[in-house]
Amino acid sequence: PAGRPSRACLGRRACVTRKSCAQWSVHLAQALTFLHACDPPVIHRDLKPANLLLCSQGHLKVADFGLSSAKQRTMISSEAYVMTGRTGTIRYMAPEAMMVDDEGNSCYNENVDCYSAAMVMWYICMADKPFGDLDADLIMAGAANGLRPDLASIRRRHGEHMADTNQMCWDGDPTKRAD
């Protein structure tokens, strides 16, 4: 039966092997590639461990599309849409989605999911929430100024490739994030 990784296996450090971390990263990347290739693209906007399912075969599945956006959006440039800001869970939210104008809107695109995926993979690899017990206001201020979780432990436990992938996916410049 399907279950939530955060409740099943991911809460225990010894349970998540390097192989599982790598496989789940691939599954998450494949899901996002599919969603973002739709016409119009689907932006999940709330990727977090609680919105992922782990099926009995060990495949990671994306769930809970309640905050996703697939409608035609107002494009403000060739790379960003006007969207509702601060939609999702702050701990996993991309900095550009946290920044809102007077009407509560932000300008972002599919790359917000890439950032969130990096935070989710950090959680899976470390069995701990990104930014520990920092409150939402500190996370927002820190993330906007380049604060990211430490990668040294991921390098030791899961290798350079996993650490480098996380770093590429949570880049502060959305145009430089891995696709």
Side-chain angles (χ1 to χ4, degrees), residues 11-87:
R12 298 176 304 209
R13 290 183 197 267
C15 183
V16 184
T17 64
R18 184 182 278 203
K19 181 179 177 182
S20 292
C21 227
Q23 286 177 331
W24 293 337
S25 295
V26 169
H27 297 162
L28 186 53
Q30 289 171 333
L32 292 179
T33 298
F34 173 81
L35 292 171
H36 296 168
C38 290
D39 186 19
V42 175
I43 305 174
H44 190 279
R45 303 197 305 171
D46 196 22
L47 285 175
K48 60 185 177 182
N51 288 343
L52 301 175
L53 303 174
L54 192 59
C55 72
S56 59
Q57 295 84 18
H59 295 279
L60 193 75
K61 306 288 184 179
V62 176
D64 192 350
F65 288 83
L67 295 179
S68 66
S69 176
K71 64 183 184 300
Q72 295 294 339
R73 297 173 290 272
T74 304
M75 191 147 217
I76 59 156
S77 74
S78 63
E79 300 189 4
Y81 304 98
V82 175
M83 307 269 284
T84 305
R86 293 195 189 140
T87 300

Side-chain angles (χ1 to χ4, degrees), residues 115-135:
Y115 178 96
S116 298
M119 291 297 167
V120 167
M121 291 318 305
W122 192 91
Y123 170 87
I124 290 171
C125 289
M126 301 308 299
D128 197 9
K129 58 188 176 186
F131 305 113
D133 292 325
L134 284 180
D135 70 42

Side-chain angles (χ1 to χ4, degrees), residues 92-169:
Y92 299 94
M93 189 183 301
E96 64 272 21
M98 295 179 198
M99 304 302 159
V100 296
D101 63 18
D102 292 338
E103 297 171 3
N105 293 319
S106 295
C107 298
Y108 56 87
N109 63 15
E110 297 82 9
N111 289 332
V112 297
D113 285 345
C114 186
Y115 178 96
S116 298
M119 291 297 167
V120 167
M121 291 318 305
W122 192 91
Y123 170 87
I124 290 171
C125 289
M126 301 308 299
D128 197 9
K129 58 188 176 186
F131 305 113
D133 292 325
L134 284 180
D135 70 42
D137 289 335
L138 291 175
I139 292 171
M140 284 193 300
N145 289 299
L147 177 68
R148 302 293 185 271
D150 182 53
L151 287 171
S153 293
I154 288 186
R155 280 191 178 84
R156 281 192 307 277
R157 293 180 190 177
H158 299 282
E160 286 292 323
H161 184 71
M162 182 62 73
D164 292 346
T165 300
N166 263 47
Q167 193 163 18
M168 287 187 320
C169 290

